[in-house]
Amino acid sequence: MSMVLLREVPVDSPIHRLWAGTKMIAAFLISVLLMFLPVWPVLGVMVVFLVVIGLLARLPLGTLPRLPWWFWALILLGGLLTLPTGGAALVRYLQVTLFGLVLLTTSFLIAWTTPMSEVAPALAKLGAPLRVLRIPVDEWAVVVALTLRGLPLLLDEIRVLRAARRLRPKDGGVARGAANPLVDILTAAMAVATRRAGELGEAITARGGTGELTAHPAGPGRADFVALAVVVVACGGAAVVGLLV
């Protein structure tokens, strides 16, 4: 399975040039709208809107993740289990499934069009008003930055562990452990992640703390306000359609 996750697709587009905070605000507005109006007309408008955003972002078709067969099998199984409860329950299940896929696609669009190094500074700037309440916004932003930096490394470690496990000799002791390969890989991944986290913490402490999130802080521009206005209009129009239909 080949996926492009948490990595920017290196193309030039109006969506790529937007501030990261603008995209996060847009994702928040879409999620709030779908949370309160998860009906077919609204879902349809949002699907079309995301397709248009993807075209404006000039994302190649190869960017779309090829989800494994068992993912679609689980969705089908859920539909089959819901079917005996009645048509209304099945329709609701399909709406919730599409709602989740729309939110997942929205998150992917942010990842595909935004350098991950810009997400944490944008979160810190968006959460700046919360500092009045003595909320540790900067510390939370640092945690997000380290998490986004560490996830691709953890995925690479899991791939290496899976490859190494396949190469182990099939003797009696390994055969007994092979009964549950998922437990073996997850246990090894947790051990590796714990070791790397400890080393990273020691390195940060040795350098006197986390320092600044970015040397060149970014902020919203004219294009960002136009983009937010478009998102507000799209969400408002979808809400009106959902209430009238």
Side-chain angles (χ1 to χ4, degrees), residues 32-186:
V32 170
L33 171 65
L34 295 181
M35 187 180 300
F36 288 99
L37 285 174
V39 294
W40 290 117
V42 177
L43 289 169
V45 172
M46 286 296 102
V47 168
V48 173
F49 180 71
L50 292 179
V51 170
V52 173
I53 295 299
L55 294 176
L56 289 176
R58 300 174 57 190
L59 297 173
L61 290 178
T63 304
L64 297 175
R66 292 184 289 274
L67 299 175
W69 64 268
W70 52 262
F71 176 83
W72 303 110
L74 288 176
I75 292 180
L76 179 60
L77 179 61
L80 293 177
L81 294 176
T82 309
L83 187 59
T85 60
L90 179 61
V91 170
R92 184 63 177 172
Y93 171 78
L94 294 176
Q95 287 178 333
V96 171
T97 301
L98 184 56
F99 168 74
L101 292 175
V102 168
L103 292 186
L104 188 63
T105 303
T106 304
S107 302
F108 281 170
L109 283 174
I110 295 177
W112 292 333
T113 61
T114 309
M116 288 296 100
S117 60
E118 295 182 4
V119 173
L123 283 174
K125 181 165 290 190
L126 290 175
L130 298 178
R131 294 192 183 98
V132 178
L133 303 177
R134 297 184 181 276
I135 295 178
V137 176
D138 293 329
E139 287 78 1
W140 290 356
V142 169
V143 171
V144 171
L146 294 176
T147 301
L148 294 176
R149 181 67 182 92
L151 275 178
L153 298 176
L154 182 59
L155 292 176
D156 290 338
E157 291 284 359
I158 291 177
R159 294 190 186 100
V160 172
L161 291 172
R162 289 180 59 190
R165 195 178 189 283
R166 294 193 191 100
L167 295 175
R168 290 195 302 180
K170 303 297 182 181
D171 56 20
V174 177
R176 286 192 297 271
N180 198 338
L182 182 60
V183 173
D184 292 346
I185 294 175
L186 290 180

